[in-house]
Amino acid sequence: MAESMITTSAWVPRGFAAPFPSRYNFDESEFERIAELAKLQLDDANDDLEEARAGEEDTAEDGSEDGVAETAGKTSKSASKETKAGEIDINDEDLKEYDLEHYDDDEDDPQGQRMDMFGNIKSLAYYESNKEDPYITIPDEEDQENEDREELQILATDNLLLAAKVEDELAHLEVYVYEDEADNLYVHHDIMLPAIPLCLEWLDVPVAKPGVEKDARANFVAIGTMDPDIEIWDLDTVDGLYPNAILGQGGNPGEQEKKKKKKKAKKANDEYHVDAVLSLAANRQHRNLLASASADKTVKLWDLHTAKCAKSYTYHTDKVCSLAWHAVESTVLLSGSYDRTVVASDMRAPEAKAPRWGVESDVENVKWDPHDPNFFYVSTENGIIHYFDIRNAPSSPSASKPVWTLQAHDESLSSFDINPHIPGYMATGSTDKTVKLWNIQPTGPAMVVSRNLDVGRIFSTNFAPDAEVAFRLAVAGSKGTMHVWDTSTNAAVRQAFAHKMAAKPAENVEERLVGVAQDDSSEEEDDEEDDDDDDDDSGDSMDED
C-alpha cells in the first residue's frame, strides 16, 4: 500500500493567482539558466563518478592480462560462428520460390494501371475548411490552446491551497484550487521537489522572473526541505522543471571552482544553511526579506531581489524550528527552538541582547496574536500552549510567566493557528489525530469542539486568509489527504461565535467537510487504515462545551 503524508500547507489569498497560468517554456535561454544553476550539482556528481571509476580500474588492473587473452579467444570463436551463420545457400528448396538471384532486377514490362499526376482527380472531394473534412480529426492549434486555458483557469473567487506531500518516497508540492461556493477541492498542478518538504511560505514578490518589475505583485512560494537549500517557485507557471531561484549553496554556481572536488561545508556559516530548513517567514512590509530557520541552529535573512543571504544570526543553542515576523514592528522576529526558548530579536541590532522566554519542552510553533501585537503564542511538544506578553520580558528563561497556559492535547501540539478575522478563535492539531477549536476569552481559552477528521496524525491546521472564507480550516496529516472544514456549519461554533458571523445561518445546517475526490482503490486503502485505528476516537465523534 502506498504511503503518503502531507507535512505542511499554506493558503494563497484570493486575487493573487493569475487567471490563466502559463505553461512552462523551455527555450534556449531557460536551458542556459538551468545549466548554470545545476552546474554545481552536476560537477559534484561527475567527480564522484570519476572517483568510483578510478577505484574500479585499480581493482581490475591485476587480472587484466588474463582477461584480455580470454576475451580475445571468445571473440575469435564468436567471429567464426558468425561467418558460418552468414553463408546462405540460395539453392535451398524453400528459398527457390522467391527467386533471390533476380530480386533486384528491373522488370521490363511492369504490369498494372498507369497513374498520371492528375489521374482520377474527379473522384477527390475538396473541403474549404479542415473543420468540414470528416477525415481530419486533429484539432486546430488555436482550439487546443483555448481548451488548455480553460482547464487552467483560476477565478477571482478561488483560493489556492498549497500542500507539501511525500508519497512513495517522492516529494512534491500539490497546488489545490478551492471553490467555496461549489464545495470543490482539486489539484491544479504539482511541482517535484528534491527532498522531503518541511515548511512553506507564500510570497507576493517576484523572484528571478524575467521581464517583471522586482516590486511587482506576484504569486510565488518558498520551500524548505531536508536539504539545506531553499527553492523559490512561480505558482503561475505550470509544468516547471527547475525553480526560479535557489537560496543557498546550490544557487551559487560561480563558486564552483573553489568547491570542486570538495564536499559541501557542514559547518554553520554566514552565507547559507548547512542542514535542513525547518521554518520560513516572509516579511509582509519589507517584501523582499525572507527569514529562514535551520537545524544548523542559525536564523538567516535573505534578500529576494538578489537571492543572497543578507545576514546570519545565532540566538539559539539547538535547532531553530519556528519563525514569525511582528505585524507592527516589522524588524522584530520571533524564533522558537528545541533549546526550549523563544527569542524576540530586532534584526537591525544583531549584537543587542534580545529578550528570551523559556518553556517546559521543545518548541513546536510560535505565532504573534494578530489582534493584539503585544502578545504571542508558543506551542510545545508536550501539547501545551503558552500565551506571553512581550512587555513582560523575564530576567532569565526560567523566570518566564505566561498570561495563561493551556494543556490543549495529550501528545505533541504539532500545529495551531489563530483566525486573522475572528478575534479569540483558535484551532489546534496534534499527533493524537484530533483537531480542536477554542474560544479565547479574557479568562482564558475554552474548548468549543473536538473532531477526528480522518486525516491521521495532524501536521497542519490553517485558517483561510480571506474574510469571505474566514471560518474555513484546512487540515492535513499523515494519511496524505487534505480537508477543508467549514467550521461555521458546526452547531457549537455557531453558538460560540454567532455575534461574529456576517449572516446567521439556519438552525439545521449540514456540516461541510470538503476533500479531494478519490477513486475506489484509494477509498479501500483508507478503510483498511480506519480498521487499524479502531481503538482511536471515531471519525464522527464530537465533544462540545
Side-chain angles (χ1 to χ4, degrees), residues 199-217:
C199 54
L200 298 174
E201 184 72 350
W202 173 73
L203 306 174
D204 63 352
V205 61
V207 182
K209 189 170 184 177
V212 178
E213 292 291 332
K214 63 180 183 179
D215 291 323
R217 179 165 149 156

Side-chain angles (χ1 to χ4, degrees), residues 207-263:
V207 182
K209 189 170 184 177
V212 178
E213 292 291 332
K214 63 180 183 179
D215 291 323
R217 179 165 149 156
N219 185 28
F220 279 65
V221 63
I223 305 172
T225 68
M226 293 293 288
D227 287 345
D229 294 334
I230 302 166
E231 293 192 348
I232 310 292
W233 289 85
D234 185 357
L235 293 173
D236 290 338
T237 300
V238 179
D239 298 334
L241 298 179
Y242 214 75
N244 288 60
I246 298 176
L247 308 181
Q249 190 174 7
N252 297 317
E255 301 178 5
Q256 168 64 18
E257 294 301 324
K258 299 178 183 178
K259 303 182 180 74
K260 194 170 184 180
K261 293 185 179 180
K262 293 181 181 179
K263 297 295 181 182

Side-chain angles (χ1 to χ4, degrees), residues 381-403:
E381 187 181 26
N382 286 353
I384 297 175
I385 286 188
H386 302 263
Y387 189 58
F388 288 104
D389 187 339
I390 194 174
R391 296 166 297 186
N392 297 329
S395 56
S396 65
S398 59
S400 301
K401 293 182 179 180
V403 178

Side-chain angles (χ1 to χ4, degrees), residues 139-192:
D140 291 343
E141 185 176 347
E142 183 178 350
D143 293 341
Q144 187 66 39
E145 290 181 357
N146 291 336
E147 186 176 341
D148 289 344
R149 280 171 57 86
E150 291 179 1
E151 290 180 356
L152 296 175
Q153 184 177 11
I154 298 174
L155 302 178
T157 55
D158 292 342
N159 280 98
L160 293 188
L161 184 55
L162 313 177
K165 192 170 186 177
V166 180
E167 191 169 13
D168 291 337
E169 299 182 357
L170 296 177
H172 57 108
L173 176 73
E174 289 186 336
V175 181
Y176 295 87
V177 171
Y178 174 62
E179 300 174 339
D180 185 63
E181 294 183 0
D183 288 349
N184 189 24
L185 181 69
Y186 65 91
V187 178
H188 186 269
H189 65 279
D190 63 354
I191 298 171
M192 298 303 297

